[in-house]
């Protein structure tokens, strides 16, 4: 069967067959793009989104990322943080969907770990923002803020106190969030006007949030009874008094009742009849003798009481003295390699990024999400 040539096609189909670029290709994938405050480069965004269906373009992006990471190690300038910022910005643009395969969280962690002990960058706003972006991608960001507080990082900037207070507010820790705002204002963190404005908005939000009233707390503390049970006279009197007080609090100041509340009261006839013994049962007319009532406490000795556990002859030995701590074996070669890498600090990246192994990058990213300080030395962690 011969192929049929279609001469007349609609303009839309003709445009799709021409494969021309219009700059709006990202519209087809915009639900997979994470928004950035500074905006995005449309050309790079289109290339990165097209890489989902183009393996050659995807390899080009991975090669570009590898070169940027190598440029970090080869940097010899006066501001070693700058190549890190350029690499992070490019990764955010080239991997708009984010995710574990981008390696951005791993780069965040390696950057903050490289400069956490540097006095030059402790009050650098750029370095603090990297910490804050790293915290946004972790499961529990509170450990990061505690680390920054313990190591005096970013304490002069108001953005630290605002971000920390908003995190505490999201966890319904309103008092701790208020204390964090007050701490930043007392330290005169800059810009102070931005901090005060955020504090006013926080107070406005806290005033509109519902609070547990005294009536709800009082209602929750009332004794719970199962249906059909009869309380003792003292318990019944106490419950009636508490119910009366609670009923009195329900009244408005003018004496009118908000809602009708029925208080159950046992009649005298029901209370007396419930405590009277049933005369139809003759077994309770006589309690028996004292010996019959205590017969379960008078067990007859049997043969097992004459059995003795054999004792080994010999002097008694006291409690042995505590032994010394067990020394953990450390391979000398591994210890020297680790110490050299920590002291030199020349290698800024882990092999997991250099190798472009997506599985290793995803695995490391997932571990950092759960424990963002897993690679930091123990003496730097907050106590």
């Amino acid at each position: 069967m011969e192929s049929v040539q279609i001469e007349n096609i609609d303009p839309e189909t003709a445009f799709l067959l021409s494969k021309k670029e219009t700059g709006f290709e990202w519209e087809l994938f915009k639900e997979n793009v994470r928004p950035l405050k500074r905006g995005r480069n449309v050309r790079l965004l289109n290339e990165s989104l097209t890489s989902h269906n183009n393996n050659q373009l995807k390899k080009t992006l991975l090669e570009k990322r590898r070169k940027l990471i190598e440029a970090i190690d080869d940097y010899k300038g006066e501001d070693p943080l700058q190549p890190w910022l350029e690499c992070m910005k490019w990764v955010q643009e080239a991997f708009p969907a984010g995710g574990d395969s981008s390696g951005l969280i791993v780069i965040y962690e390696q950057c903050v770990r490289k400069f956490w002990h540097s006095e030059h960058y402790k009050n650098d706003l750029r370095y603090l923002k990297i910490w804050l972006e790293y915290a946004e991608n972790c499961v529990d960001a509170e450990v990061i803020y505690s680390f920054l507080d313990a190591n005096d990082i970013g304490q002069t900037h108001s953005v630290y106190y605002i971000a920390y207070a908003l995190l505490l507010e999201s966890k319904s820790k309103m008092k701790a969030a208020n204390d964090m705002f007050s701490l930043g204002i007392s330290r005169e963190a800059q810009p102070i006007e931005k901090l005060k404005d955020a504090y006013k908005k926080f107070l406005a939000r806290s005033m509109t949030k519902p609070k547990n009233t005294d009536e709800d707390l009082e209602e929750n503390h009332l004794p719970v009874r199962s249906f059909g049970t009869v309380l003792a006279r003292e318990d019944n009197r106490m419950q009636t008094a508490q119910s009366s007080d609670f009923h009195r609090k329900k009244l408005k100041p003018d004496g009118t009742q908000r809602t009708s509340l029925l208080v159950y009261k046992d009649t005298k006839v029901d209370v007396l009849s419930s405590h009277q013994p049933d005369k139809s049962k003759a077994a309770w007319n006589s309690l028996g003798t004292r010996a019959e009532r205590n017969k379960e406490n008078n067990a007859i000795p049997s043969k097992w009481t004459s059995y003795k556990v054999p004792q080994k002859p010999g002097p008694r030995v006291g409690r042995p003295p505590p032994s010394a701590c067990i020394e953990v074996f450390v391979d000398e070669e591994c210890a020297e390699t680790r110490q050299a890498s920590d002291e030199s600090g020349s290698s800024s990246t882990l092999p997991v990024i250099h190798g472009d192994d997506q599985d290793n990058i995803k695995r490391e990213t997932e571990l950092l999400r759960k424990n963002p300080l897993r690679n930091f030395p123990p003496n730097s962690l907050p106590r």
Side-chain angles (χ1 to χ4, degrees), residues 23-42:
F24 296 98
E25 288 79 12
W26 63 274
E27 288 283 355
L28 301 176
F29 307 94
K30 59 183 179 181
E31 65 275 5
N32 298 327
V33 178
R34 298 183 63 181
L36 294 177
K37 294 181 179 179
R38 64 174 182 271
R40 290 186 176 274
N41 186 340
V42 178

Side-chain angles (χ1 to χ4, degrees), residues 61-102:
L61 293 176
L62 295 177
E63 181 67 18
K64 176 66 174 179
R65 184 181 65 179
R66 187 183 62 82
K67 290 182 178 180
L68 288 174
I69 293 174
E70 291 178 354
I72 295 174
D73 297 334
D74 299 336
Y75 183 79
K76 304 298 181 182
E78 298 179 356
D79 188 10
L81 183 63
Q82 184 60 33
W84 286 96
L85 297 174
E86 294 176 357
C87 179
M88 294 174 190
K89 181 178 180 180
W90 184 89
V91 171
Q92 290 175 348
E93 296 282 354
F95 297 87
D100 299 345
S101 60
S102 65

Side-chain angles (χ1 to χ4, degrees), residues 158 161-185 193-211:
S158 61
Y161 301 95
I162 294 174
Y164 197 178
L166 293 178
L167 174 66
L168 296 172
E169 183 184 2
S170 64
K171 295 184 176 182
S172 300
K173 298 180 180 180
M174 306 303 294
K175 185 178 183 303
N178 183 79
D179 295 341
M180 185 55 57
F181 275 117
S182 302
L183 179 62
I185 295 175
E193 295 298 331
K194 181 179 180 180
L195 181 60
K196 291 182 179 180
D197 184 57
Y199 185 40
K200 292 179 181 179
K201 294 179 180 179
F202 165 76
L203 293 178
R205 291 192 303 270
S206 61
M207 295 297 292
T208 57
K209 286 188 176 181
K211 298 181 179 179

